[in-house]
Amino acid sequence: MIPNQIIELKEHQETLRIPKGKSGYIFGPDSSNLNRIRETSGADVIITGKRNQSCQAIITGTKEQRSKAVVLLQESLGRSNSYSPIIGFTLLDIIPKLLLPMLSFKKVPSEDGCKSSVFPNDITHCKYTLEINPSPPNYSSFLSLRRSSPTLHKYNNNNNDLSFNNLSGKIYSFNTILQLDDCLAKIVDQISNKNLSHPSRNRYGNFHHHQQQKIIMDNSDNEFRLKINFGRELFTKISKTNLNLSEWNNLKRGYNGITTAFRHDISFFDDEKIQKLKNTFGFKEINNFENKVDDREECFITVLYKEKEKKNKFKLQWDANEGRWKIIKSTKNISRQAIIDIVSGRSKSPDLRFLLKSQKRSSPISEKNHNIIYNIQKSDDFLKRNENKYDDSELMYFSQKDFNGKFKCTSVRQSIIKKQLTNDKYQMNFISTLQDEDGRIALEDTVNLINLSWISSPSPNSCESITTMDPKNPKFNESIIDTIDYARNISRAIGD
C-alpha cells in the first residue's frame, strides 16, 4: 500500500473509493484476497492511503479487466463476515487481595508472532500473551503505587471492587473478574428492550446501581445464542511489557491503543486432560453418529450470506434416505451482541471467550434457497469436485464460488464434531471446521462449553431454555455467571 497522493490517471486506469476502516476487507489475511482479485481479473490493483482513513484502489488493465476487478472489490467490501460486538470487556481472572500482582506480556515465539503491516510507515507489531506474576511487588514499590493510584487506594481501604468510572475504551474495557456481575448488568441493559434501574448486590457483597441507558434494539422477535470458547487472548501494539493492575485498568483500545484477538486453541486438551475432565467434572463421552452409514452424516455445513446488509445463514445436513444435502435450519439477522474475554494469566491454562449473539426467532426456510442447494448438487462442477472429494485439493463438499450470482455469500463452513462430553448440566464440543472465505480455505479446531439450558431444543435434563428467555429474568444472568465460573474451573484444572 502506498500513501495518498495526487495521481494522474492514464487511459487504461480507473479508481474505486474504499471507505474508512474497510481496506482490511480488500487485503484479506496476508493480502490473500487482494492477490485473488488481481489473479481473477487480470488487472493490476494498488491500494493507496493510510490505515483508518478512506483509501482508493487504482485499477490498471483493459476495460474488461478493470470491470472484473471493480466487481470483485465491491463484493469484498459488501460481503465481509467480520463484525464487532455492541459491548464487550476483557477481564483478568484474579481477585486481588491486599497486595496486587504484577502483569507481564510475553512475546509469542511462533512463526506468526510478528508480522509486517501492509501499510507503509506502520511498525511491525508482535503478538503477546499475558501472564500474572504471583509474586507481589516489594513493599516500598507497592506503597508508591498505592499513593499514585486512587483506584488501588479505594480498593485496599474500602475492600471494594474497581469502579466503572475508571474503565477505559469506547467498546471494550479492561478489568478483573470482580467486575463480571457489573459487566453482565451493562450487557443486559444493552440487549433488553427495557432498562434496569434498581440497585442490586453483586456476588462479592457490594452494592451497585445500574445507570439508565439508551435503548439500542427491540429483542421481542429475537432469541439468543450463548457459548464459551477455550483458547488464548493475543495482544499487539504493546509498548510496555510489565504493568500493574492500575495500568491494566487504564489500557485503551483502538488506533492509538492496543489491539486484541482471541485465538482458538485445542492443544490444551490432550487425552490425559480429557480424562481428567471426566474424572473431575463427571463428563461422559457421547457418540451421536455410531450408527452412521456415510461419513457425510457427521458433517454440518453452514452457508453465511448477506441480504439487505443483514447477516444470515442456513445449515445443511446430509439426508441418507434421499442421498443429498438439505437445509435443516435457517437463521436471519445475526448480530454479535456482547463478548467477555477472560484472561487466565497462566501459560498452561486456556483463556475464555464468552460470546452472546442474537438472531431472529424461527426463520422459515425459503423455497428459493432449497432450490439453489438442490440445483448446485446437480451442477457439473459440484459433481466433479465431489467425485474427487478425497484428493488433497478437494477438501469441502460446497465452496463459496458455488453461490456466485445466486446471493451474496460471505463464507462456507464445514464442521465435524470430533468429540462431545456431557454431564447433567453442561456440554463440551470439540469441533473441526474448514472455512472457505474469499478464495482461502482455512482449518480451525475449537473447543466450547455450553450450559444445557442454552440449547433451544429440549435438553437431556429438560432444562428451561435460556435462548428464548427475557434477559431481565434473573435466571438468564445466573446461567451465564454459573457457566463462566464452571469454565474457569475447567481452565484451572487443565493447567494444574
Side-chain angles (χ1 to χ4, degrees), residues 221-459:
D221 196 33
N222 284 336
E223 62 181 5
F224 300 97
R225 287 292 179 266
L226 308 89
K227 66 179 176 181
I228 296 175
N229 292 308
F230 294 84
R232 182 63 75 206
E233 187 89 349
L234 298 177
F235 302 81
T236 55
K237 300 173 68 176
I238 299 299
S239 59
K240 184 178 181 181
T241 56
N242 295 300
L243 64 164
N244 56 52
L245 193 59
S246 179
E247 291 169 321
W248 162 263
N249 185 218
N250 286 290
L251 285 176
K252 296 187 182 296
R253 187 183 295 268
Y255 180 56
N256 292 319
I258 70 170
T259 61
T260 65
F262 188 83
R263 182 182 66 192
H264 296 276
D265 194 341
I266 199 173
S267 65
F268 292 100
F269 298 87
D270 56 24
D271 290 341
E272 181 182 347
K273 298 298 185 182
I274 290 175
Q275 186 59 48
K276 186 174 184 179
L277 293 180
K278 295 178 180 179
N279 296 339
T280 305
F281 299 95
F283 281 113
K284 295 181 180 180
E285 191 166 347
I286 58 176
N287 185 357
N288 295 320
F289 302 102
E290 57 185 351
N291 297 320
K292 69 175 183 177
V293 295
D294 191 306
D295 287 341
R296 286 170 286 195
E297 292 180 51
E298 63 179 356
C299 182
F300 297 93
I301 295 174
T302 304
V303 179
L304 295 100
Y305 65 101
K306 271 188 173 183
E307 190 175 66
K308 296 180 180 179
E309 297 309 309
K310 299 289 186 180
K311 297 177 176 67
N312 312 300
K313 68 179 180 181
F314 54 80
K315 183 177 288 187
L316 306 176
Q317 193 170 8
W318 179 254
D319 188 320
N321 294 326
E322 297 190 21
R324 65 186 179 95
W325 294 95
K326 297 178 69 175
I327 300 177
I328 60 171
K329 186 176 183 181
S330 177
T331 304
K332 291 193 173 184
N333 297 357
I334 304 167
S335 178
R336 184 178 289 192
Q337 295 290 330
I339 283 176
I340 300 178
D341 287 344
I342 299 175
V343 182
S344 71
R346 306 167 185 87
S347 60
K348 296 183 179 180
S349 295
D351 301 330
L352 311 174
R353 165 163 284 188
F354 167 73
L355 176 61
L356 188 155
K357 295 181 181 179
S358 67
Q359 60 192 38
K360 188 174 181 180
R361 189 175 299 165
S362 303
S363 301
I365 301 173
S366 72
E367 188 66 25
K368 175 185 174 182
N369 288 339
H370 269 307
N371 292 335
I372 288 174
I373 294 301
Y374 179 77
N375 291 328
I376 285 175
Q377 294 176 80
K378 295 170 62 179
S379 69
D380 291 340
D381 286 346
F382 182 90
L383 293 172
K384 182 179 179 181
R385 185 170 66 247
N386 281 270
E387 284 176 2
N388 302 321
K389 176 67 179 62
Y390 298 102
D391 291 351
D392 289 340
S393 60
E394 301 292 348
L395 298 172
M396 300 182 67
Y397 294 107
F398 287 81
S399 71
Q400 188 180 22
K401 66 182 181 180
D402 289 334
F403 301 94
N404 287 347
K406 299 173 177 65
F407 50 72
K408 195 180 290 184
C409 179
T410 61
S411 70
V412 177
R413 298 173 184 170
Q414 179 173 300
S415 302
I416 295 177
I417 299 177
K418 294 289 190 179
K419 192 184 297 290
Q420 203 167 51
L421 306 177
T422 187
N423 58 23
D424 61 336
K425 287 190 67 176
Y426 301 98
Q427 181 173 293
M428 292 190 71
N429 302 298
F430 298 73
I431 303 173
S432 182
T433 300
L434 281 167
Q435 176 167 297
D436 181 5
E437 182 173 356
D438 291 332
R440 180 176 181 264
I441 296 179
L443 173 65
E444 185 173 62
D445 293 319
T446 62
V447 184
N448 66 56
L449 174 76
I450 59 173
N451 189 311
L452 292 179
S453 69
W454 296 353
I455 302 176
S456 56
S457 58
S459 57

